[in-house]
Amino acid sequence: MPLTHAPSQPTTGNRGASSELSLEARLAATDAAMTIRLEEAAVAHEVRTAHISTDPIDLGDVLTVPLTPTLQPPTPYRTPVAALLQRAHHRLLTGGWCTGALLEEDGARCMVGAIRIEARGDHGLEAGAVAVLLDAIRRKFGDGVDSVPSFNDAHSSGRIPLRMLDQAAGLADTRGF
């Protein structure tokens, strides 16, 4: 007759001590251990990336538009130049922005092209809008900007030109133009 042995229990240290801890206590200990590990990882990340130079992001450079642009511009400004600049901004949002031409085949326009089409032949209103726009651009980028077309053509995307049209509309409204 073979000898049989009772199955041995695995040794896990002081078994009585672990069974004395409640679930909440074990969760708290695990949370504390994970917090320490995350803090160590954060410090290690800071050390590994300290040599990388980063420039702060100007949140004004981030253009936010609705996922589905509305077909109507927001509440129009009451002054004529501000309303024109706002319509030009909306035209570029919905019809596209371009550089190097007033109008492209696909309907995209530059800043002056959008102002011109929205002015509907009123050359005085168009000139006032371009003057306010140039003033807004120079306030932001300095007096080295020669003209609105040169500013428009200096950009590879419409993000900043669109933002400047919007800011110029606010400036014209503030001035009562």
Side-chain angles (χ1 to χ4, degrees):
M1 174 174 212
L3 293 174
T4 59
H5 296 284
S8 62
Q9 296 290 330
T11 306
T12 57
N14 188 354
R15 196 170 164 188
S18 67
S19 65
E20 291 175 11
L21 291 176
S22 67
L23 175 62
E24 290 81 18
R26 288 182 290 180
L27 288 173
T30 302
D31 181 50
M34 289 304 296
T35 300
I36 290 170
R37 290 179 70 185
L38 287 171
E39 288 173 353
E40 288 174 352
V43 169
H45 175 72
E46 289 292 325
V47 169
R48 284 192 305 267
T49 59
H51 69 283
I52 300 172
S53 63
T54 57
D55 295 327
I57 296 173
D58 180 10
L59 294 180
D61 287 340
V62 178
L63 178 66
T64 56
V65 295
L67 293 177
T68 307
T70 58
L71 297 178
Q72 297 298 320
T75 306
Y77 288 108
R78 294 186 182 130
T79 59
V81 171
L84 170 60
L85 289 165
Q86 184 182 38
R87 289 193 311 271
H89 177 262
H90 184 71
R91 164 92 48 178
L92 293 183
L93 271 177
T94 57
W97 171 85
C98 72
T99 181
L102 288 174
L103 173 66
E104 287 189 343
E105 291 176 9
D106 63 356
R109 297 179 181 275
C110 71
M111 298 167 83
V112 173
I115 291 171
R116 183 164 294 163
I117 194 70
E118 291 298 330
R120 297 176 179 97
D122 186 339
H123 298 296
L125 185 61
E126 179 184 333
V130 171
V132 171
L133 178 56
L134 183 59
D135 186 36
I137 291 169
R138 286 180 174 163
R139 284 174 171 233
K140 179 79 174 177
F141 295 95
D143 290 332
V145 178
D146 295 333
S147 66
V148 172
S150 68
F151 177 80
N152 183 83
D153 294 348
H155 293 86
S156 59
S157 78
R159 186 183 77 216
I160 293 174
L162 277 164
R163 188 177 62 174
M164 292 313 303
L165 270 171
D166 188 46
Q167 289 180 6
L171 180 63
D173 188 59
T174 302
R175 291 180 175 175
F177 293 152

